[in-house]
Amino acid sequence: MSAPAVFLDRDGTLMVEVDYCRDPARVELLPGVPEGLARLHAAGYRLVVITNQSGIGRGLITAAEYEAVHARLLGLIGPGLIDATYYCPDHPDQASERRKPAPGMLLEAAHDLGLDLGASYLIGDKASDLECARTAGARGVLVRSGYGDAEAAKVGDGGAFIAQDFAAAVAHILGARR
């Protein structure tokens, strides 16, 4: 039996956007993230981080620096909430089917974790996150944090929900489930 998931972009969605963050000390959760994740988890959603990390492909950060930043993020979120993380280190000029907006990471997670993409959501701060969700058969929610304010104009009326912040995104997802 497949489970619903909420896929989560990392930078600008869960944590404050820091261009090519390589220092764990610069990781700062956005308001309401741990509480929102706990609510989604309690409602039965699997929580999966899906993140492009082109800084690795660009040579701006190392895989070890990415891992240290991500470990700090998970530590701040707290144990038992994030089920898995998938990241793509590709340079945008050499993108694979895993790099958002391509749906590869969502498809991989759905296969690995037994997820129902049709009952799932992706929360992100870029139009490419929403395109990834749509292509994979999930629903997209754009948050106005990170790049979200600037990206909202690109989204138009493409069927995605635009949330003021992470808490509003969670409320939308939980309200839609009723």
Side-chain angles (χ1 to χ4, degrees), residues 83-110:
D83 292 292
T85 298
Y86 293 79
Y87 78 97
C88 181
D90 295 350
H91 188 289
D93 294 341
Q94 300 164 342
S96 68
E97 284 300 308
R98 294 184 79 244
R99 181 175 167 76
K100 294 182 287 180
M105 288 188 284
L106 271 69
L107 299 174
E108 186 179 337

Side-chain angles (χ1 to χ4, degrees), residues 9-145:
D9 174 56
R10 191 186 84 170
D11 304 298
T13 301
L14 298 176
M15 63 183 256
V16 173
E17 176 65 45
V18 176
D19 286 334
Y20 308 111
C21 187
R22 60 189 298 173
D23 180 359
R26 295 191 68 192
V27 175
E28 179 184 346
L29 292 181
L30 285 162
V33 166
E35 300 85 358
L37 294 173
R39 290 182 66 207
L40 291 167
H41 179 76
Y45 285 98
R46 304 286 303 272
L47 302 175
V48 181
V49 176
I50 302 289
T51 180
N52 286 342
Q53 291 296 319
S54 71
I56 297 170
R58 295 171 194 265
L60 300 173
I61 66 172
T62 66
E65 289 168 329
Y66 159 77
E67 294 291 345
V69 166
H70 198 67
R72 173 71 176 148
L73 173 75
L74 294 177
L76 291 173
I77 287 171
L81 291 178
I82 301 298
D83 292 292
T85 298
Y86 293 79
Y87 78 97
C88 181
D90 295 350
H91 188 289
D93 294 341
Q94 300 164 342
S96 68
E97 284 300 308
R98 294 184 79 244
R99 181 175 167 76
K100 294 182 287 180
M105 288 188 284
L106 271 69
L107 299 174
E108 186 179 337
H111 176 266
D112 293 349
L113 304 171
L115 304 175
D116 178 356
L117 291 172
S120 297
Y121 292 83
L122 188 152
I123 303 173
D125 68 327
K126 293 185 177 176
S128 60
D129 294 317
L130 303 180
E131 182 180 340
C132 176
R134 187 179 63 253
T135 303
R139 288 164 279 186
V141 178
L142 182 81
V143 288
R144 289 186 172 272
S145 53

